[in-house]
Amino acid sequence: MFKKFKIPDATIGRLSLYSRYLAEADEKGITTVSSQNIARATGVTPAQVRKDLAYFGEFGTRGVGYNSRELYNYIMKILGLDKRWSVAIIGAGNLGRALTQYKGFQQRGFDVKCIFDNDPKKIGKKLANVEIYPIDSLEEKVKELDINLGIIAVPAPSAQEVADKLVGAGIKGIINFAPINITVDGSVILRRVDLAAQLEYLTYYLEET
Amino acid sequence: MFKKFKIPDATIGRLSLYSRYLAEADEKGITTVSSQNIARATGVTPAQVRKDLAYFGEFGTRGVGYNSRELYNYIMKILGLDKRWSVAIIGAGNLGRALTQYKGFQQRGFDVKCIFDNDPKKIGKKLANVEIYPIDSLEEKVKELDINLGIIAVPAPSAQEVADKLVGAGIKGIINFAPINITVDGSVILRRVDLAAQLEYLTYYLEET
DNA sequence: TAGATTGTTAATCGATTAACAATC
DNA sequence: TAGATTGTTAATCGATTAACAATC
């Protein structure tokens, strides 16, 4: 796709928000939106909206605005969401189970195809119609089911090992929910989501009271 | 506490990571660590580590490094984690249930004290020993249980309404898991965590292949 | 045409990195 | 003392905001 130069990470996150607003607008029958409309709905500035979009092309009409549906389709294509993706979740604990059942993934084109865990009591069982396999079978299953993305939901001490297995199996994108820094080959996209750290951000600001 | 000027948001997130490494080091009996040790373990640069710490004071000894336990304690205090916090989760769906049971919160000092939902079938039941109350009783229960933080885990269309209720009940810190922009009074700290957007960040980079 | 709104350039702001004096 | 490592300042890099010409 048309990625001009280096795009700020934050831009990608905002595109995701824009797309949700555009879907909503389109559903409501609003065919044209301005950068100001988008900005107000998503909590950014109109200049920011235009700048973010400008990284990828010219999608609007001066003096008029953007066609909701058209811009939605463009953004979804930019984000790679014009097709569905297959996801493996590693770790069938509370978090892994919740992510498997989370409706928000399906809605955006992500299908959780398999779960991996080491607990013999869990293996063979199903969660929301998704089977739990032993971690040993990861490489095999990932290839068999043509998995694109991996979500690490195991405790911190096992996270690096699991990441290595995912990379070994050829997975190119990983989300790590374990609160630890892990490293992967440079060709693999890695993102860490630290849920407790999010709460700590709040307490940092509240702490002085 | 000693917050000199405006601290970058990213610094707060890194402090969280540093603290986990320091706890680990201290447990292993490593009494002294350098900015380089911390940096390597957490995936940042040594200069960044020193800069982050310098916002809050002088915690090290030139030529020597930092005392692991001491620095750990300082950082935990900076993050407001020298005391425990009471959390309410709104929405007893998959995500709300998982967050209630998530061990990572307890470990860092967050106690989920109550859950709120509108589904009569769920009200009165317990999840991991935490009772589910009707959303109507939010204000009352928040005050009764002295809740500090709220986690919004309801669908996007209800998120703003729930946020208003939380603010009305006097809650000062909110995490919003709904994939929508919500607004709150300026005195309330708000943070959005968009799980699907995290996956979209991966697909954005993988999409060109 | 007049009003509206984009796309883009320049100015500003903020965060990271590099370098080094201070000092153990 | 010599080697190591901090704390801090200056330089660099990157992202956001403001302004405005282009144009519907």
Side-chain angles (χ1 to χ4, degrees):
Chain A
M1 200 127 182
F2 34 173
K3 294 168 190 171
K4 285 181 183 169
F5 321 105
K6 175 72 184 110
I7 314 292
D9 269 16
T11 291
I12 313 304
R14 285 190 297 264
L15 288 180
S16 188
L17 258 188
Y18 301 161
S19 73
R20 292 177 203 263
Y21 164 71
L22 290 164
E24 200 190 307
D26 182 45
E27 246 171 60
K28 281 186 191 157
I30 303 168
T31 52
T32 305
V33 297
S34 65
S35 57
Q36 183 155 159
N37 295 148
I38 301 174
R40 252 203 287 264
T42 57
V44 307
T45 63
Q48 180 86 81
V49 172
R50 295 199 300 276
K51 183 82 187 174
D52 283 340
L53 296 174
Y55 286 121
F56 300 98
E58 306 189 4
F59 305 111
T61 309
R62 288 166 197 234
V64 179
Y66 305 90
N67 177 287
S68 311
R69 177 149 347 155
E70 230 176 78
L71 184 56
Y72 171 81
N73 287 331
Y74 276 126
I75 293 180
M76 291 302 268
K77 193 160 195 315
I78 291 167
L79 292 175
L81 299 181
D82 52 341
K83 51 183 164 296
R84 299 195 71 83
W85 296 80
S86 296
V87 178
I89 292 179
I90 302 86
N94 290 314
L95 189 61
R97 288 205 302 270
L99 294 172
T100 305
Q101 296 167 54
Y102 183 55
K103 302 282 195 309
F105 288 155
Q106 280 235 0
Q107 280 163 15
R108 297 287 284 181
F110 301 103
D111 298 311
V112 178
K113 288 281 177 64
C114 53
I115 311 170
F116 296 97
D117 202 291
N118 263 337
D119 184 344
K121 277 175 290 186
K122 291 175 180 167
I123 290 164
K125 292 199 173 155
K126 284 197 170 188
L127 261 177
N129 231 25
V130 182
E131 194 164 344
I132 304 175
Y133 300 103
I135 293 194
D136 281 344
S137 69
L138 193 146
E139 184 154 357
E140 178 196 340
K141 282 288 161 194
V142 160
K143 283 173 182 165
E144 184 187 322
L145 299 170
D146 198 21
I147 302 295
N148 313 115
L149 308 170
I151 296 181
I152 299 179
V154 300
S158 323
Q160 181 64 61
E161 195 189 320
V162 165
D164 293 343
K165 285 207 169 105
L166 286 169
V167 174
I171 277 184
K172 291 294 176 215
I174 296 175
I175 305 270
N176 172 31
F177 277 91
I180 194 169
N181 177 252
I182 60 179
T183 55
V184 296
D185 185 90
S187 68
V188 176
I189 314 297
L190 172 68
R191 205 162 166 83
R192 198 169 62 82
V193 179
D194 188 337
L195 296 176
Q198 301 298 324
L199 281 176
E200 293 168 21
Y201 178 91
L202 302 184
T203 56
Y204 164 76
Y205 282 106
L206 299 178
E207 170 267 346
E208 48 220 319
T209 53
Chain B
M1 197 128 187
F2 34 173
K3 292 166 189 172
K4 286 179 182 171
F5 321 107
K6 175 73 185 113
I7 314 292
D9 269 16
T11 291
I12 313 303
R14 285 190 296 264
L15 288 180
S16 189
L17 258 188
Y18 301 162
S19 73
R20 291 175 203 266
Y21 164 71
L22 291 165
E24 200 189 308
D26 183 44
E27 246 171 59
K28 281 186 190 158
I30 302 168
T31 53
T32 307
V33 298
S34 65
S35 57
Q36 182 156 159
N37 295 147
I38 301 174
R40 252 203 288 263
T42 57
V44 307
T45 65
Q48 180 86 80
V49 172
R50 296 200 299 277
K51 184 81 187 171
D52 283 340
L53 296 174
Y55 286 120
F56 301 97
E58 305 190 4
F59 305 112
T61 309
R62 288 166 196 236
V64 178
Y66 306 88
N67 178 286
S68 310
R69 181 154 338 161
E70 230 175 79
L71 184 56
Y72 171 81
N73 287 332
Y74 276 126
I75 293 180
M76 291 302 269
K77 193 158 196 316
I78 291 166
L79 293 175
L81 300 183
D82 52 342
K83 51 183 166 295
R84 300 195 69 84
W85 296 80
S86 296
V87 178
I89 293 180
I90 302 87
N94 290 314
L95 189 60
R97 288 204 302 269
L99 294 172
T100 304
Q101 297 168 54
Y102 182 55
K103 303 281 195 309
F105 288 154
Q106 281 236 358
Q107 282 162 14
R108 299 287 283 180
F110 300 103
D111 298 311
V112 178
K113 288 279 177 65
C114 54
I115 312 170
F116 296 97
D117 203 291
N118 262 338
D119 184 344
K121 276 175 291 185
K122 290 175 181 168
I123 291 164
K125 292 202 173 153
K126 284 196 171 189
L127 261 177
N129 231 26
V130 181
E131 194 164 344
I132 303 176
Y133 299 103
I135 292 194
D136 281 344
S137 69
L138 194 146
E139 185 155 357
E140 177 196 341
K141 282 287 161 195
V142 159
K143 283 171 182 166
E144 182 186 323
L145 299 170
D146 198 20
I147 302 294
N148 314 113
L149 308 170
I151 297 181
I152 298 179
V154 300
S158 322
Q160 181 64 60
E161 194 189 321
V162 165
D164 293 342
K165 287 207 167 102
L166 286 170
V167 174
I171 277 185
K172 290 295 175 212
I174 296 176
I175 304 270
N176 172 30
F177 277 92
I180 195 168
N181 176 251
I182 62 178
T183 54
V184 295
D185 184 89
S187 68
V188 177
I189 314 295
L190 172 68
R191 206 161 165 81
R192 199 170 60 82
V193 179
D194 189 336
L195 295 175
Q198 302 298 325
L199 281 175
E200 293 169 20
Y201 179 91
L202 301 184
T203 54
Y204 165 75
Y205 282 107
L206 298 177
E207 170 266 347
E208 49 221 319
T209 52

